[in-house]
Amino acid sequence: MNALGVRWTAEQVLALAPDDASRGAGSRLGTPGPWSGTGRAGGAVWGLCKGSGGAPYRTVVDTTGPAYACTCPSRKFPCKHALGLLLLQTADTTAAGETAVPDWAEQWLARRRGDDGATPLGEGTGAAASAPADPEAARRRAERRAARITTGARELEQRLADLLRGGLATAEQAGYGLWEETAARMVDAQAPGLAGRVRELGSIPGSGPGWPVRLLEECALTHLLDRAWLTADRLPDPFAATVRTRVGLHPAVEGPPVRDHWLVLAQYDSADARLTTRRIWLHGALSRRTALVLSFGAGGRAPALALPVGAVLDGELTPHPGSGGLRAEPGEQFVPVAGPASPPPGGPVDDALDAYGRALRDDPWLDSWPVTLRQVVPSRAEYGWQLADADGREALPLTPAAQSRPGLWRLVALSGGGPLTVFGECGHRGFTPLAAWSPEAPDETVPLV
């Protein structure tokens, strides 16, 4: 399916789907019936798919990205036609042979692999280049925004002081409206990170037994972030970068890129009314670095970036400053390569807890940290499911969200009562398993989300 001869499996293709509806529709198009004019060359595959109209949809996939283009009106990436075309290739190696690239596909591929970046089929490369940035104007804008955030942080400090002075019980009586009003003020101050924390505070009162304790904990963390912002000029540079990121200021990514063979460990989406966030976890075979790539979709659109879970990709990631150096920006090209898909190095439960503790030292606002557990067994406990060391010494409870997902039963079935390796996120609410490997198939990544 690509220039290097590395083929994706059907499971890896379906992992690219933005939602269950696209997964089902793409599966129905993964047969030769609706396709004509298929072909492949140089890491690209294309074809014409019969649709409801008179003209077939033109679909092309650059597997070195991966990136997709289709003349259908879908706002999802990849659309069902791109998924179907890839599934057709996994099921039938003769469905699209090596052939000359048609003009309509060549034009898009040339634009994508040239200086203009990816452009959907049927659209031009757009407006002329923008004028050079004015560094002095950018500095003044940054100073004005920092001043607005400082005003918002001081206002939030007063809100927290009023809450504690009146007693936590008043939070339940006041309702959510006052918190939403405070969050809106943080948005006006251009501090989306503070706004998100305020909305989290507003959701805690009356949320179940022990809510006053949880509210006090979150108020303390919010107060810590406020004070850190107000004294950021006296903080060490790495921690100051973390604070800026937490309040919503994302610095430019300027560090040297890391070239590696990246194993795609997991991919999952979370959404609210305004934004869908896709989290993709990768691990470098040579750098031994675990990285988080975020992709966003606004207004009901699926995030543009999707990578096949379990695939090994050759490409570059540029780390963001702060927050433990986990988040990274991907380069333009990720080429599938042949190689072992072995899990990241890991250890027992106490090693995972130590790793999370060290990460909290650098970023006290972390909800979780990526870890790999080795030789653990899923088992039932009085509070629900847990992952316990094979020797029974330590155990990590699964988060409530993980206990309600179908992936839990996939994990239990894969274990069969025996130890296995699990990658996931370890945090103060417990452990969320994202991928697993059995001793019988140590290079086969089993997605759990």
Side-chain angles (χ1 to χ4, degrees):
M1 286 178 54
N2 57 72
L4 299 178
V6 179
R7 296 183 57 81
W8 292 351
T9 66
E11 290 75 16
Q12 290 172 339
V13 172
L14 291 174
L16 300 173
D19 51 38
D20 289 339
S22 299
R23 193 173 293 114
S27 297
R28 291 190 289 274
L29 292 175
T31 60
W35 292 96
S36 62
T38 56
R40 59 184 171 87
V45 60
W46 59 86
L48 305 175
C49 187
K50 183 179 179 181
S52 56
Y57 295 124
R58 296 176 172 182
T59 307
V60 58
V61 178
D62 180 359
T63 62
T64 66
Y68 325 88
C70 186
T71 56
C72 75
S74 175
R75 299 173 65 191
K76 299 178 180 180
F77 297 97
C79 68
K80 63 182 181 181
H81 305 100
L83 292 169
L85 180 60
L86 291 173
L87 288 171
L88 178 65
Q89 296 300 292
T90 64
D92 184 357
T93 58
T94 63
E98 292 277 350
T99 184
V101 185
D103 290 342
W104 58 268
E106 177 61 36
Q107 291 171 7
W108 178 78
L109 289 167
R111 287 194 295 265
R112 167 168 167 72
R113 297 173 179 177
D115 295 333
D116 294 324
T119 305
L121 290 175
E123 294 185 9
T125 54
S130 58
D134 182 348
E136 181 59 26
R139 184 188 63 80
R140 290 195 298 269
R141 286 194 299 270
E143 289 179 348
R144 288 194 296 269
R145 183 177 181 185
R148 284 192 288 267
I149 294 175
T150 297
T151 300
R154 288 173 175 156
E155 183 176 337
L156 181 53
E157 281 291 279
Q158 186 60 53
R159 172 77 175 91
L160 294 175
D162 292 344
L163 172 65
L164 295 178
R165 188 178 300 111
L168 293 179
T170 61
E172 188 173 21
Q173 299 167 5
Y176 187 75
L178 186 57
W179 291 108
E180 183 57 36
E181 179 183 340
T182 304
R185 299 292 294 273
M186 297 303 104
V187 172
D188 292 341
Q190 294 184 286
L194 293 179
R197 299 202 71 86
V198 170
R199 292 192 175 99
E200 178 68 21
L201 291 173
S203 69
I204 295 175
S207 60
W211 70 260
V213 174
R214 295 195 298 276
L215 180 59
L216 184 60
E217 291 172 347
E218 292 302 321
C219 283
L221 285 172
T222 303
H223 168 69
L224 179 64
L225 182 56
D226 279 340
R227 299 308 305 171
W229 169 262
L230 294 173
T231 59
D233 58 336
R234 300 199 295 271
L235 298 177
D237 288 344
F239 190 63
T242 296
V243 171
R244 287 192 291 270
T245 300
R246 288 297 178 184
V247 300
L249 283 174
H250 298 286
V253 181
E254 299 175 344
V258 179
R259 179 75 177 269
D260 210 333
H261 287 178
W262 300 96
L263 169 63
V264 184
L265 297 170
Q267 173 179 287
Y268 66 95
D269 294 351
S270 57
D272 57 28
R274 296 175 292 275
L275 190 70
T276 298
T277 302
R278 175 166 296 160
R279 298 168 67 89
I280 304 175
W281 285 108
L282 305 167
H283 182 75
L286 302 177
S287 64
R288 299 172 70 86
R289 185 187 200 115
T290 300
L292 174 64
V293 173
L294 298 183
S295 183
F296 303 96
R301 294 177 65 98
L305 180 63
L307 299 176
V309 175
V312 179
L313 308 174
D314 178 22
E316 291 184 345
L317 292 177
T318 303
H320 282 231
S323 297
L326 280 181
R327 189 178 170 190
E329 288 298 320
E332 292 188 0
Q333 298 292 322
F334 268 85
V335 181
V337 294
S342 303
V349 167
D350 59 350
D351 284 359
L353 294 174
D354 286 345
Y356 180 48
R358 289 192 299 270
L360 284 174
R361 179 187 58 197
D362 298 327
D363 185 352
W365 305 279
L366 271 177
D367 286 329
S368 60
W369 186 256
V371 297
T372 302
L373 301 174
R374 289 190 177 267
Q375 293 291 300
V376 291
V377 181
S379 60
R380 290 281 294 179
E382 57 181 310
Y383 48 76
W385 284 91
Q386 63 181 12
L387 285 173
D389 289 332
D391 59 12
R393 284 190 174 185
E394 303 281 350
L396 266 176
L398 299 190
T399 59
Q403 303 208 35
S404 64
R405 291 174 181 163
L408 169 62
W409 306 111
R410 197 177 307 140
L411 176 64
V412 172
L414 184 68
S415 166
L420 72 172
T421 299
V422 184
F423 169 81
E425 297 171 352
C426 177
H428 61 278
R429 295 183 179 91
F431 182 80
T432 300
L434 301 176
W437 297 261
S438 68
E440 292 76 22
D443 289 340
E444 182 178 341
T445 306
V446 177
L448 302 176
V449 290

